[in-house]
Amino acid sequence: MQEKLTLMIPGPTPVPESVLQAIGRHPIGHRSGEFQEIVKRTSNQLKWLHQTNSEVLTITGSGTAAMEAGIINTLSRGEKVVCGENGKFGERWVKVAKAYGLNVEIVRADWGQPLNPEEFRAILEADTNKEISAVILTHSETSTGVLNDLQTISKHVQDHGKSLIIADCVTSLGACNVPMDKWGLDVVASGSQKGYMMPPGLSFVAMSDRAWQACEKSDLPKFYLDLNLYRQAAIKNSNPFTPAINLFFSLEVSLNLLQKEGLDAVFSRHARHQAAAIAGMEAIGLSIFSAKGHRSPAITAVNPKNINAEDLRKAVKEKYDILLAGGQDHLKGQIFRIGHLGFVNDRDVLAAIAAIEATVQSLDKKHQTTGDGIKAAAKILS
Ligand SMILES: *Cc1c(COP(=O)(O)O)cnc(C)c1O
């Protein structure tokens, strides 16, 4: 039943009815006073969400547009950057940096393991000539369900003194605490189809004062993603090009919902759902793929042992109309991922756990745990 399909993937995430309805009106002129008012209000709300006094710019494009904008607006040809890579999105950063001819040093960790902040510290301390222009990493690595220690790595970057820190916070912003100013983050990238509880189409890039200073010297090629244009337009509560106007309508509604809920409540909702998903899976006897103590509140990656993860995923979708995410690249068939990001409630989490448990039992006759998963999850949620 397509109409009943529940998304439990890490983006796109489910969207509240009121957010959807906001899109379904006639577009208005993007140079109109009415639109400028929306830009003004949402810009302030975005600062609240990022816990920053810096400008947060909205780009019409997917999350990768914000990531790319962060790189090409702060860096210059041939500059040295250090990229963290412990999953698919870390790899994406490396690809973007290399596409623009930057000199990339990679700090790796196995998929499922967190990046080691000590490795960043050592590299930054050894850089006495201050050749490193940026440290670039993914906060919540969606492909593996790992939450990297952005706060500690950012501290090491501050100690370096010259390097910027550029972070993909696409599945951490609006899911857990990402206080941009307090942690000293220079560029924070995010996208609408994640914690924002919106359809895809808008992305957001927040830039610190240090990032804007670097922007003045940056000589990488850019046009549509030239953030100077967005910044100048933002002064007039406007956009340099025709933005996805109808998505701005829904942005305001979703940010209103988040503000009404409150940041702490939003974070604890995600933490509860994460805890329930982990407890449920472990009670069924399935192991969590990501390292303990380093797990993302947005997504739980599960290793279903002697069941092919893709078979399980297909059965859960066909029988229960719940869409789980699969493993990417070498993890395909080995893990499945439960998205509990964005507009997800307790019922969604309980239903997903019950569906997974029932499916495990039908695919593996030796594996009979009737009710254990749901019991463990319900205990946490109650
Ligand atoms: C979803 C996601 C992105 C953005 O991907 P787009 O398809 O470009 O929106 C970037 N980083 C992470 C960690 C993500 O989960």
Side-chain angles (χ1 to χ4, degrees), residues 217-259:
K217 290 180 293 174
S218 162
D219 69 359
L220 291 177
K222 47 196 164 274
F223 182 73
Y224 182 73
L225 294 177
D226 183 346
L227 293 181
N228 288 301
L229 304 178
Y230 288 81
R231 191 189 199 188
Q232 280 153 24
I235 295 168
K236 292 174 283 171
N237 295 311
S238 190
N239 249 259
F241 310 107
T242 313
I245 292 162
N246 291 51
L247 289 177
F248 271 82
F249 299 152
S250 72
L251 175 64
E252 184 168 18
V253 176
S254 70
L255 290 171
N256 282 343
L257 288 172
L258 289 172
Q259 283 196 315

Side-chain angles (χ1 to χ4, degrees), residues 10-12 61-67 88-90 92-93 138-143 168-172 189-194 200-203 298-299 328 337 341:
S62 81
T64 307
M67 293 168 65
K88 190 86 186 160
F89 289 98
R92 184 171 298 180
W93 272 133
T138 310
H139 188 196
S140 163
E141 179 47 80
T142 313
S143 61
D168 169 348
C169 296
V170 178
T171 55
S172 58
S190 61
S192 61
Q193 78 275 28
K194 311 277 176 140
L202 293 181
S203 62
I299 182 133
Q328 292 170 289
R337 295 171 298 149
L341 172 65

Side-chain angles (χ1 to χ4, degrees), residues 71 75-79 81 97-98 100-104 136 220:
I71 286 193
L75 297 166
S76 294
R77 285 170 222 268
E79 279 187 330
V81 298
K98 286 189 172 165
Y100 285 96
L102 295 169
N103 171 9
V104 183
I136 306 174
L220 291 177

Side-chain angles (χ1 to χ4, degrees), residues 99-116:
Y100 285 96
L102 295 169
N103 171 9
V104 183
E105 176 170 356
I106 301 176
V107 172
R108 284 198 178 81
D110 287 341
W111 288 32
Q113 297 299 316
L115 295 168
N116 181 357

Side-chain angles (χ1 to χ4, degrees), residues 335-349:
I335 63 165
F336 66 88
R337 295 171 298 149
I338 309 170
H340 29 74
L341 172 65
F343 187 56
V344 169
N345 68 3
D346 290 10
R347 178 184 57 189
D348 296 328
V349 174

